[in-house]
Amino acid sequence: MAEEKMKIEIIRTETIKPSSLTPLHLKMYKLSFLDQLSPPIYGRVIYFYPQSDAARVPEQRTQKLKKSLSESLSCFYPMAGRINDNTFVECSDEGAPFVEARCNGLLSTFLQNPADLSLLQLLLPTKVESPEAGTWPLMQVQATFFDRGELAVGISTSHKLTDAASMALLMTSWAKTSIGSDQTVVPVFDAASYFPQRDLSHFKLPPMEMNKLECVTKRFVFDKSRVVDLKAKAASGDAKPPTRSQAVTALISKCVMAASRSNSGVAKKFFLTQAMSLRKRAEPPLPENLFGNVLTFVSVEVNENHEAELKTLVADLRKGIEDFTVNKAIKLREDDASEVIFQDLKEAGELMGRDDRDGLIVSSFCNFQLYETVDFGWGKPIWVTIPVSTGRSNFLTLMDTKEGGVEAWVTLNKNDMALFESDPELLEFAYPSTQISIV
């Protein structure tokens, strides 16, 4: 489907204000040290919903979304504020832009090519790398209706204030508010007490950049049955069975290593850098609903032999997390918690900048229950996706599929992708991007 055939018309843009004013004692919200270090970019997600008998008229859905968003912003009050000097959010109730749009086609037609990033971008209110993410707005929404009343809700939230868990928390609460549930999620706005602000002049991170060759992003789907087979193949003796994301990451890493070494002719050392939430890793654990950037990046060098078995790669993946848990997690409740995280981030950045290393940066959104929890009152989404748009290669993003499998977005340079996507072992378990069913 050519992009020019799919027209998106912006109907109106309105700034949604919180339903109640933020109390005076909450007007100044301190950023944590990890918030300060986070880049001024937007995290983005799109939820797709079929036609609904509960709300046949688009205006009814739109008003429901606006009203519940207004109420949610009162609870998540920093998201309606403005960041000043990378140190605090002025919770001034400025609100969040809400874009209403119409698409001149059917959702079923749109989803015939679900990996077309240029089309997915049309359903989002902003680009990833937008300077506004460092000031205001900290949240933006776009509701796009298709010809038969199907709906795509695209959300952008500033990475200066939210990690993946925080975004999921916000979306779950918004959906529960929309249906009038009395089980709305209550966020904990206290990250700066665990990771106090620091003078950033003493914490200079190297740029986290992989090679800048022409890169390609493609989507691969591991259905539930093939994930089961892959986990069995990656299992190792009496060791704990690998998770879905570990098994998929190990396979993709193996195929990326093979493609890279075949093209370059050089056996570079390979590393994996994994984004990891700290909430459950700290001892004792941090509050489950702690809002903000509560994550680190853990790097580990993997087996240098590109013929390594999957079980060996799974063990390498686990090594970095286990080392962090044993040697560093206990320090997350101490005064030097920020120093611990900074050193991990610094190590990740240095590895990414070395010419004698090759690697993969992994973010997993599996087990965030995005399909189960984000029902605004007209049913669960038929597809949830996080469009990858880094502009840099060697990135892997994992998400659940609706049926319990794994969706993988892989970004590699053009030459490596040509070999990677034809790797027989990859294709034994993964399907290239296929049409999304709206049933």
Side-chain angles (χ1 to χ4, degrees):
M1 178 178 55
E3 180 180 348
E4 57 269 20
K5 295 181 180 179
M6 186 63 70
K7 301 293 186 182
I8 304 292
E9 178 187 3
I10 303 300
I11 304 301
R12 66 181 62 86
T13 299
E14 176 184 351
T15 299
I16 305 300
K17 305 278 188 177
S19 59
S20 60
L21 297 178
T22 300
L24 288 177
H25 69 284
L26 298 178
K27 285 290 187 180
M28 303 292 282
Y29 173 75
K30 271 190 176 183
L31 296 182
S32 73
F33 175 65
L34 300 184
D35 293 331
Q36 289 179 292
L37 288 178
S38 296
I41 60 176
Y42 283 109
R44 309 182 304 166
V45 61
I46 308 174
Y47 299 82
F48 292 87
Y49 298 91
Q51 184 180 8
S52 170
D53 292 334
R56 291 183 177 275
V57 182
E59 287 75 12
Q60 292 177 354
R61 283 192 183 185
T62 302
Q63 290 306 313
K64 191 177 185 70
L65 286 171
K66 288 180 180 179
K67 181 177 183 296
S68 55
L69 176 59
S70 176
E71 295 170 359
S72 295
L73 287 175
S74 291
C75 180
F76 290 79
Y77 56 92
M79 298 302 298
R82 177 184 294 270
I83 294 177
N84 283 331
D85 197 31
N86 196 33
T87 56
F88 66 92
V89 180
E90 182 181 355
C91 302
S92 50
D93 303 313
E94 292 191 48
F98 188 103
V99 179
E100 298 176 50
R102 297 288 183 271
C103 179
N104 70 328
L106 303 177
L107 179 57
S108 58
T109 304
F110 188 95
L111 295 181
Q112 287 177 1
N113 189 6
D116 190 331
L117 291 174
S118 63
L119 288 176
L120 292 174
Q121 175 62 48
L122 299 177
L123 304 179
L124 289 157
T126 186
K127 296 181 179 180
V128 170
E129 296 184 352
S130 300
E132 294 86 358
T135 53
W136 183 89
L138 303 181
M139 179 179 185
Q140 300 187 56
V141 179
Q142 179 173 322
T144 304
F145 287 91
F146 293 80
D147 281 350
R148 291 182 180 170
E150 309 102 320
L151 171 64
V153 180
I155 298 96
S156 298
T157 60
S158 172
H159 204 346
K160 296 298 297 180
L161 204 57
T162 59
D163 59 8
S166 296
M167 178 187 276
L169 186 72
L170 170 60
M171 294 306 301
T172 297
S173 182
W174 181 11
K176 287 184 177 295
T177 299
S178 180
I179 62 176
S181 172
D182 58 1
Q183 299 178 348
T184 54
V185 183
V186 179
V188 176
F189 293 110
D190 196 27
S193 69
Y194 298 102
F195 305 99
Q197 291 185 1
R198 305 288 291 272
D199 181 357
L200 293 188
S201 64
H202 301 300
F203 294 89
K204 295 296 184 183
L205 288 173
M208 290 191 178
E209 295 185 356
M210 303 295 284
N211 65 69
K212 294 184 177 181
L213 299 175
E214 181 182 357
C215 57
V216 178
T217 298
K218 296 203 173 183
R219 173 179 175 267
F220 300 86
V221 178
F222 297 76
D223 67 24
K224 186 175 181 179
S225 64
R226 294 197 180 190
V227 170
V228 171
D229 294 340
L230 179 58
K231 287 175 64 178
K233 184 174 182 178
S236 179
D238 296 331
K240 183 180 178 180
T243 64
R244 292 179 302 147
S245 60
Q246 287 172 346
V248 171
T249 299
L251 175 60
I252 289 177
S253 299
K254 181 178 180 181
C255 297
V256 168
M257 280 190 281
S260 174
R261 290 173 179 176
S262 178
N263 278 324
S264 68
V266 178
K268 295 182 179 181
K269 289 187 176 181
F270 195 88
F271 69 90
L272 279 162
T273 296
Q274 307 170 81
M276 185 178 71
S277 174
L278 301 172
R279 293 169 179 83
K280 294 181 180 180
R281 296 287 172 186
E283 184 58 46
L286 300 172
E288 182 180 358
N289 292 343
L290 186 61
F291 198 84
N293 287 287
V294 191
L295 80 165
T296 189
F297 288 86
V298 176
S299 298
V300 59
E301 288 193 326
V302 301
N303 195 295
E304 296 182 26
N305 179 5
H306 75 278
E307 298 296 339
E309 294 183 0
L310 290 178
K311 62 185 67 177
T312 305
L313 293 172
V314 168
D316 289 334
L317 279 168
R318 287 175 165 168
K319 182 178 183 297
I321 295 176
E322 290 172 357
D323 286 349
F324 182 92
T325 301
V326 171
N327 300 316
K328 299 178 181 179
I330 193 171
K331 298 180 181 179
L332 295 178
R333 286 287 199 169
E334 300 176 357
D335 292 340
D336 59 351
S338 296
E339 182 68 34
V340 170
I341 304 306
F342 174 75
Q343 291 303 324
D344 279 334
L345 295 174
K346 182 179 179 182
E347 178 184 351
E350 289 173 346
L351 279 173
M352 294 174 204
R354 291 180 58 167
D355 292 334
D356 63 340
R357 295 289 192 276
D358 203 357
L360 199 61
I361 303 169
V362 185
S363 294
S364 176
F365 297 85
C366 294
N367 300 320
F368 276 96
Q369 297 186 315
L370 300 181
Y371 285 94
E372 292 81 6
T373 62
V374 187
D375 178 354
F376 291 99
W378 43 76
K380 297 177 182 179
I382 56 174
W383 186 38
V384 183
T385 193
I386 296 177
V388 179
S389 181
T390 65
R392 302 176 181 89
S393 67
N394 294 65
F395 278 81
L396 168 62
T397 302
L398 303 178
M399 288 192 68
D400 296 316
T401 67
K402 186 178 181 180
E403 297 77 19
V406 176
E407 172 180 314
W409 290 83
V410 184
T411 303
L412 301 173
N413 70 61
K414 187 176 181 179
N415 293 334
D416 285 354
M417 180 61 80
L419 293 179
F420 171 82
E421 66 179 339
S422 60
D423 189 300
E425 189 170 10
L426 174 71
L427 298 178
E428 179 184 351
F429 298 98
Y431 299 99
S433 184
T434 55
Q435 180 175 350
I436 302 291
S437 172
I438 66 170
V439 178

